[in-house]
Amino acid sequence: MSVSKLKIGCAGLGRMGKRHALNFLERTPRAQLVAASSPDDAELEWAKVHLAPFGVKLYKNYDDMLKHEGLEAVVVASATAVHAEQAIKAINAEKNVLCEKPLSTSVEISQSVLDAASKKPHLKVMCGFSRRFDASYRDAYNKMTKGSIGSPSVLRSQTCDKLDPSGFFVAYAQFSGGIFVDCSIHDIDLALWFFGQDSKVKTVSAVGITAVEPDLRKHNDRDNAVGLVEFYNGKIAYFYASRMMAAGQEDTTEVIGTQGKLTVNAQPALNLVNIYDGAGIRREIPQHYYDRFEFAFVTEANEFTAACLENTEVPLKLEGAVQAVRIGSALQEALITGQKIFFDEAGNRIEKTKL
């Protein structure tokens, strides 16, 4: 008896797109990668070697890929600037969508994806926040929901990238939406997950510096920033984002409750090996985000595929992705202006002079 597989296409074959393509090709048994697209010739050359021999049809034009016969779903892993546009095109073409984070660097454009998805409730549309699929984060969440730390009150979370002296982050800042929208978006999503998706923002404030990349200021960005979000339910989230970790990637979360706390990745480690040498005792840590969350992306691919095939709910709601961009954008604005931003319980901005 033949087993039905989800026929999926991958949009974008950059660093993240390659990973998604290979995960759906090799590590998602219920999916069949049938197509991939990229406007970049070098990326297509890579695909000719790694995808085409396995029956994956390659397209230079994304719109052409959407017409691929039998295509049922699309993973949007292209540049952030076209996430929303490509997601909406796929939705309008009756395809299920897994979109890399963020939906957009703009709240309004992110909302347009949600609006498009709302008109097609039979489709599965999900934004990929990979930490929600990580075994350690899931374990911490489950322990919290069982009351192991009492009532969660404070979340401290960070996304700290390895230092890249090539100037990549300066060039990337033109399109990223800023360090909070790009870098801290995962931490913001964690706060909404652990505190509850209905958490309403009361105030947002932020500060930042350019310790190693002063040219980031040309794009209203920083290489180190701290953001503080106060919620109406009496909870606080503290975010730290950095582009200058010398040893490697450091993504750590701490959830502090009334009867204890939970930490995830408080002592980053690549594996269980400790090195004993003349410098002392040490261990290696992940060098990049994917080193730490590789298997979370695999779980994400498999659970999205299952939701499409079984017509079940996707693991996280699209509304949360819009909310995360809204908070990230407010943090970025607070960082640039140096002003604290206030909201009412309906989510509307309040001018300080009116308080």
Side-chain angles (χ1 to χ4, degrees), residues 3 10 25 66 74 108 116 150 155-156 165 198 207 227 230 238 247 310:
V3 178
C10 183
L25 179 69
L66 289 180
V74 174
E108 292 74 22
L155 181 139
R156 294 194 298 200
D198 59 348
V207 293
E230 179 187 11
Y238 167 108
E310 298 168 13

Side-chain angles (χ1 to χ4, degrees), residues 62 151 227 271 301:
Y62 173 72
S151 176
N271 50 39

Side-chain angles (χ1 to χ4, degrees), residues 129 131-132 137 141 144 152-158 184-201 227-231 233 235-239 252-255 320 323-324 327-328 331:
F129 285 104
R131 292 186 206 180
R132 292 212 190 197
Y137 276 101
Y141 178 80
M144 181 201 73
S153 303
V154 178
L155 181 139
R156 294 194 298 200
S157 195
Q158 68 179 45
S184 294
I185 201 79
H186 286 293
D187 307 287
I188 295 167
D189 179 65
L190 288 175
L192 296 173
W193 185 28
F194 278 79
F195 287 166
Q197 204 69 58
D198 59 348
S199 298
K200 301 183 187 309
V201 175
L228 187 66
V229 177
E230 179 187 11
F231 294 94
N233 57 11
K235 302 180 191 301
I236 295 173
Y238 167 108
F239 306 121
T252 306
T253 301
E254 182 178 28
V255 185
Q323 193 176 0
I327 294 172
L331 283 165

